[in-house]
Amino acid sequence: MALEINNVSYIKNGKNILKNINLFLDTGMYALLGSNGAGKSTLLKVISTLLKPTQGSVLYDKKDIKNNSEYLSKLSFMPQNVGLIKDFDIVDNLHYFGLLKGCKNKELKTKISAILSDFDLEALKNVKVFNLSGGVVQRTGIALSLINSPKILILDEPFNNLDSTERKRLYNILQEISKNSAVIISTHLIAEIENVADTFIFMKEGSITHIGNRDESIAGFTEKTGRTSPNPDISENKEEHAKYQKTMFEMASEYYTKYF
Ligand SMILES: Nc1ncnc2c1ncn2[C@@H]1O[C@H](COP(=O)(O)OP(=O)(O)OP(=O)(O)O)[C@@H](O)[C@H]1O
């Protein structure tokens, strides 16, 4: 499994939204971090084939993802607002979207049972979506994105609406999936993802400013800025004090996404 993003740029209305993006994604969990407007959603849409790059290419196992039905069958994209059918119950949604994603009717039954159990949705499986809470809808949406056993799983802000128990459940599931697939998560919740993702991809103004694991990201930040550890003693200046209260990783993240 290898996804290669080679020199990808995306220009819309004269605006360079993605600038020369180069990425190599293997199995593992990748966090995509960046401020509003950094280009994260645009990059995810390019990887999902929803947008065609103005320049460059995206290859899956050395083949262009353009008109590549094998790639599409292995891809799953969960956007920020989950598009479940409100009049269907959970099982019908899983079944319907499974068929749309090309799963065979025969294998769907087993898959749906496994997913309902993994996501603790059995008791709610026959409840129509319009009667479910926001958290359960979100959980069902994520469950839905796994129906085709994706090799490339893209989740845009998946932790919204989830309480800490649900987040933990999701981390465990995603960690399991990331052993054999590339899981790409775009999120603003840095503290949430800090100990979960293997690799962090930081973006600012359409460019990637840093790629690395947690320790590498902190080390790069230390090297470039001279910052070593948070200093809890600085209290005269409120703003400075608040800044130092952050973890090294949060400071590194802020550096790569705002000031690099
Ligand atoms: N169709 C479009 N036409 C013009 N500009 C666009 C279009 N789509 C996105 N943009 C601009 O491109 C930039 C990147 O947008 P994008 O949604 O990819 O950022 P993001 O990092 O996902 O932000 P957020 O975290 O707010 O979702 C923004 O400045 C946005 O206004």
Side-chain angles (χ1 to χ4, degrees), residues 12-13 15 17 34-43 80 188:
K12 181 92 186 177
N13 301 335
K15 193 177 169 200
I17 298 173
S35 310
N36 290 339
K40 303 181 299 292
S41 299
T42 307
L43 178 60
Q80 277 186 40
H188 285 98

Side-chain angles (χ1 to χ4, degrees), residues 206-259:
S207 299
I208 291 178
T209 51
H210 181 81
I211 305 174
N213 66 24
R214 185 182 174 281
D215 291 346
E216 287 161 357
S217 302
I218 293 174
F221 165 68
T222 303
E223 196 183 309
K224 289 217 160 64
T225 62
R227 292 274 185 88
T228 47
S229 63
N231 179 355
D233 297 332
I234 298 177
S235 52
E236 292 104 83
N237 181 330
K238 267 191 177 168
E239 215 176 284
E240 270 300 286
H241 185 64
K243 217 152 77 185
Y244 277 106
Q245 290 300 311
K246 290 182 182 165
T247 67
M248 283 297 280
F249 183 74
E250 276 177 87
M251 289 198 285
S253 174
E254 196 164 271
Y255 174 70
Y256 293 125
T257 55
K258 289 190 185 152
Y259 311 118

Side-chain angles (χ1 to χ4, degrees), residues 3-222:
L3 189 71
E4 283 174 68
I5 299 164
N6 297 320
N7 273 317
V8 162
S9 294
Y10 181 76
I11 300 169
K12 181 92 186 177
N13 301 335
K15 193 177 169 200
N16 212 340
I17 298 173
L18 294 178
K19 302 168 189 165
N20 265 316
I21 302 286
N22 285 292
L23 266 179
F24 180 88
L25 304 182
D26 202 340
T27 56
M29 204 188 300
Y30 298 86
L32 187 56
L33 301 170
S35 310
N36 290 339
K40 303 181 299 292
S41 299
T42 307
L43 178 60
L44 295 182
K45 282 184 191 160
V46 167
I47 296 175
S48 308
T49 72
L50 297 173
L51 288 177
K52 196 168 151 267
T54 313
Q55 179 200 298
S57 60
V58 183
L59 308 182
Y60 175 71
D61 285 346
K62 309 264 181 219
K63 279 192 210 139
D64 203 303
I65 63 169
K66 203 168 48 184
N67 304 323
N68 183 336
S69 54
E70 192 202 343
Y71 176 70
L72 289 182
S73 72
K74 289 178 177 167
L75 172 79
S76 204
F77 178 42
M78 197 198 85
Q80 277 186 40
N81 297 309
V82 184
L84 299 177
I85 299 176
K86 292 198 167 56
D87 264 341
F88 280 12
D89 64 21
I90 292 181
V91 169
D92 288 345
N93 268 284
L94 288 167
H95 194 168
Y96 177 69
F97 283 101
L99 290 175
L100 282 188
K101 286 190 178 197
C103 302
K104 302 230 159 56
N105 226 334
K106 263 195 225 158
E107 58 190 63
L108 265 178
K109 214 175 160 196
T110 327
K111 265 191 179 167
I112 290 172
S113 308
I115 285 176
L116 289 173
S117 157
D118 286 349
F119 282 82
D120 200 14
L121 287 167
E122 280 135 331
L124 298 166
K125 66 181 183 183
N126 296 124
V127 178
K128 287 190 177 175
V129 169
F130 60 72
N131 283 322
L132 297 172
S133 70
V136 177
V137 169
Q138 181 78 352
R139 206 193 318 163
T140 307
I142 295 161
L144 199 75
S145 67
L146 302 182
I147 198 79
N148 60 334
S149 311
K151 284 283 171 201
I152 312 282
L153 173 61
I154 298 169
L155 302 154
D156 201 356
E157 297 287 351
F159 306 119
N160 291 352
N161 298 318
L162 298 184
D163 63 25
S164 60
T165 315
E166 301 230 26
R167 281 180 192 176
K168 238 187 194 149
R169 188 207 324 264
L170 181 58
Y171 300 151
N172 291 339
I173 291 171
L174 294 179
Q175 245 149 9
E176 202 49 44
I177 295 168
S178 69
K179 288 180 186 163
N180 298 307
S181 307
V183 177
I184 309 160
I185 300 170
S186 171
T187 181
H188 285 98
L189 302 173
I190 291 165
E192 289 295 330
I193 201 82
E194 178 177 352
N195 296 310
V196 183
D198 306 309
T199 306
F200 298 88
I201 303 163
F202 296 95
M203 286 187 76
K204 188 189 160 208
E205 292 169 5
S207 299
I208 291 178
T209 51
H210 181 81
I211 305 174
N213 66 24
R214 185 182 174 281
D215 291 346
E216 287 161 357
S217 302
I218 293 174
F221 165 68
T222 303

